[in-house]
Structure formats: C-alpha cells, structure tokens
Amino acid sequence: MNLEVKENNIRLDVYIKNNTDYSRSKIQSLIKDGYITVNKKREKESYKVKENDLITISEFEEEITDVIPEKMDLDIVYEDDYLLILNKKSGVVVHPAVGNYNHTLVNGLLYHFNSLSNKNTIRPGIVHRLDKDTSGLMVVAKDDKTHELLSNMIKNKKVERKYLALVWGVIKHDNGTIDAPIGRDINNRQKFIVTDVNSKESVTHFSVIERLNNATLISCKLETGRTHQIRVHLNYIGHPVVNDPVYGNRKMFNEEFGQMLHSKSIRFIHPITKKELFFEIDAPKEFYNILDNFK
C-alpha cells in the first residue's frame, strides 16, 4: 500500500493512523519491523511527514493465534490431497481482519481441515480472495508448495476465472475489454478507483449474455486480480454492478444479498497432478430473484 502525503509536520504514525484502518500500536510495530518506509527509507515513528512524501506499507502476515476454528457448512465442489475448490456463499468474509476474527471462511476451514497452507498466517489456505458479497468458486491450498505454485499460476495468468454479473444499463457492444489501472481512492480508503496514482495494471474482459430492461447480464473474465476489480471497472464504464453497496449508487434490491457478482467457473492445470481441472457452478437463487426485476 502506498500513501502520498498531502499534509506537513505530522508524526508518521499519526498520519498513517488517520489514513488507514490500522491501530497506532500496530503502526508503530510495523515501523519498528521495517514494513513501513518513507521515500524508500526507514524512519522513526516520530518522523514529521512532508507534503509529497511517499509512505509505503509492505504486505505482512498477522499471526493467527486469535482466530479459532468454527463449525460451518462448506460447499466443497472438489477435493484432493493438495487443494480444494469450494462454492462460497454471498455474505461470507473470506479471512479475518483487524476487529473481525470470527465467522469468516478461514474459521470454517480451520474447523474442517487439519492441513492448510500458510498455517501460521491470518489466511491459511487462501490462494485468492472473493469479496464478502461475491458468491462462487474459490481455490484453497492444503500445503505451502501447492499454494506457491497456484499463486504463480494466477500471477502468470494460467488460471481462467469467469464471473457472472448483472449491471445497470444496456451495454451496446457484445464484447469488450477494460484495460485501466486500479489504485486505492485517497479520499476514501475503503474504495478503489481507476487512477494513474499508485495503481496496478488491471484488465477485465466481458461479453454480453442477455440485455434486459435497463440492465445487462454479462460474463466477465479476469486477466488480473485486483481488489474489487470487476466492480471498479464496470462502474468506470458507467455500468455498475446491480446491488453494489459501494460502487453502485443506485436502487438496491434485497440489501442482505449484496452485489450481483458470482464466480461462475474456474479452469487450470493442477500444479501437482498436471490434470486439467474445470468446474462451473450456477449463481444462487437470490441472484435470479433479483434478476427477475429487470424482465
């Protein structure tokens, strides 16, 4: 994460606390351990930031000592000795975060499986994430080797993931590609936007499945996997995902269900057995109940 400083003469730890969700004690610990730099240099927590300073918070893993296994119904689509593929329900958070250590998918995975990759981290087994209110297929690794191989495959675009999305408005083109870099919104740390500032390459392909009354059902294929990527990209082209509470800014249907986005299929070569795996699963009934409003 990068923060471009917009103020002067504020303590480093205070500035970060005011612009992130981290506690001050956590920030001080990260500074001490070298996870936070200013203009690529380590500074003390008392350092007074200056306008245009670039603060970088490197990725880190939190200990999972406070996360306990919880009994949870998991919809396992496929499982072998190395990995599993599951169908995540809409409304389920994938892994614990600060202030939210319970009722996540990771809690459920810890209850059901003794062997998961990255066992001593905050997200054991999690190779890639889905947003809380996005349903559908996810891959979970059972050991570190499989996890590393799968992560590299995703990075090198060797895992094909397709999503089903219902968006506002009628898309005229049958197919399209959105190639626009995504970064965190400096005015709202909970959101991401298309921007050239501290952003990463982001590419989403889409094709129209059905045109409805003021809405379009589409298939999306991810080439990259940025946080909120599909939601940000579709909002960027003026067709936000229906029921999206963050980017939609439109009428909500069944607010408990969340955005109309479903991870429908996944295809890749098994990193260990070398066999092709392909799984496809339909969206939940709530998805189609909302879709009926546009027919």
Side-chain angles (χ1 to χ4, degrees):
M1 176 193 300
N2 290 319
L3 298 175
E4 188 173 346
V5 177
K6 303 296 184 182
E7 302 174 72
N8 284 300
N9 205 33
I10 299 176
R11 280 177 59 107
L12 175 61
D13 54 353
V14 173
Y15 186 86
I16 297 173
K17 183 181 186 301
N18 292 341
N19 289 276
T20 69
D21 296 326
Y22 298 121
S23 67
R24 191 167 176 181
S25 60
K26 183 63 180 179
I27 293 166
Q28 292 171 346
S29 175
L30 292 174
I31 292 172
K32 180 180 178 181
D33 292 338
Y35 286 101
I36 295 178
T37 59
V38 181
N39 303 323
K40 299 184 179 180
K41 293 171 56 181
R42 294 182 66 167
E43 300 286 358
K44 295 181 179 180
E45 60 197 46
S46 59
Y47 170 83
K48 299 295 181 67
V49 299
K50 300 182 290 294
E51 189 173 1
N52 297 323
D53 274 350
L54 182 63
I55 299 171
T56 300
I57 305 176
S58 301
E59 289 189 7
F60 63 94
E61 295 287 357
E62 294 195 50
E63 293 182 358
I64 199 164
T65 53
D66 293 332
V67 182
I68 61 173
E70 292 182 34
K71 187 174 183 180
M72 182 183 298
D73 291 332
L74 299 179
D75 185 1
I76 306 298
V77 177
Y78 171 84
E79 181 184 358
D80 61 28
D81 292 338
Y82 310 100
L83 58 85
L84 62 100
I85 299 173
L86 57 82
N87 177 27
K88 186 185 85 68
K89 294 181 181 179
S90 175
V92 176
V93 176
V94 169
H95 63 78
V98 176
N100 179 31
Y101 288 94
N102 301 313
H103 314 308
T104 73
L105 181 62
V106 161
N107 296 102
L109 289 170
L110 288 173
Y111 180 89
H112 288 280
F113 299 98
N114 294 322
S115 175
L116 291 170
S117 64
N118 296 335
K119 187 69 175 179
N120 295 319
T121 69
I122 202 74
R123 47 187 179 187
I126 304 302
V127 179
H128 66 103
R129 289 167 285 182
L130 293 180
D131 294 339
K132 173 187 174 183
D133 292 325
T134 299
S135 57
L137 298 174
M138 278 185 60
V139 181
V140 175
K142 289 187 172 183
D143 61 75
D144 291 349
K145 179 181 178 181
T146 303
H147 189 124
E148 181 180 1
L149 291 171
L150 285 169
S151 295
N152 287 333
M153 289 171 65
I154 291 175
K155 181 179 180 181
N156 294 318
K157 304 174 184 178
K158 294 182 179 180
V159 177
E160 180 186 271
R161 293 172 286 167
K162 290 186 177 180
Y163 291 70
L164 191 66
L166 181 69
V167 302
W168 284 103
V170 177
I171 298 179
K172 296 180 180 179
H173 301 288
D174 291 339
N175 302 282
T177 295
I178 307 168
D179 185 350
I182 291 175
R184 194 178 291 272
D185 187 341
I186 61 173
N187 297 314
N188 184 343
R189 304 301 301 174
Q190 306 303 316
K191 295 177 66 174
F192 291 82
I193 58 172
V194 169
T195 176
D196 290 328
V197 179
N198 300 326
S199 57
K200 295 181 179 180
E201 175 196 17
S202 307
V203 180
T204 303
H205 307 283
F206 70 85
S207 58
V208 171
I209 297 174
E210 183 179 5
R211 295 181 176 90
L212 304 161
N213 181 20
N214 196 31
T216 308
L217 184 66
I218 63 174
S219 172
C220 295
K221 180 181 176 181
L222 287 176
E223 190 169 313
T224 55
R226 311 305 177 202
T227 302
H228 298 180
Q229 178 174 315
I230 292 176
R231 299 162 64 191
V232 172
H233 270 172
L234 293 174
N235 183 52
Y236 175 68
I237 65 170
H239 294 283
V241 175
V242 171
N243 242 37
D244 191 326
V246 177
Y247 302 97
N249 197 27
R250 305 281 183 97
K251 178 181 178 181
M252 296 285 287
F253 300 88
N254 184 3
E255 295 186 18
E256 295 181 358
F257 182 69
Q259 67 261 5
M260 295 283 282
L261 187 59
H262 174 72
S263 176
K264 186 176 183 179
S265 71
I266 190 164
R267 185 193 305 271
F268 61 95
I269 301 299
H270 195 297
I272 305 299
T273 68
K274 305 304 179 184
K275 293 181 179 179
E276 182 181 78
L277 297 180
F278 172 73
F279 295 94
E280 186 174 35
I281 196 159
D282 208 357
K285 63 180 181 179
E286 291 88 351
F287 187 103
Y288 291 101
N289 289 341
I290 293 174
L291 187 147
D292 287 341
N293 288 278
F294 297 90
K295 291 186 174 181

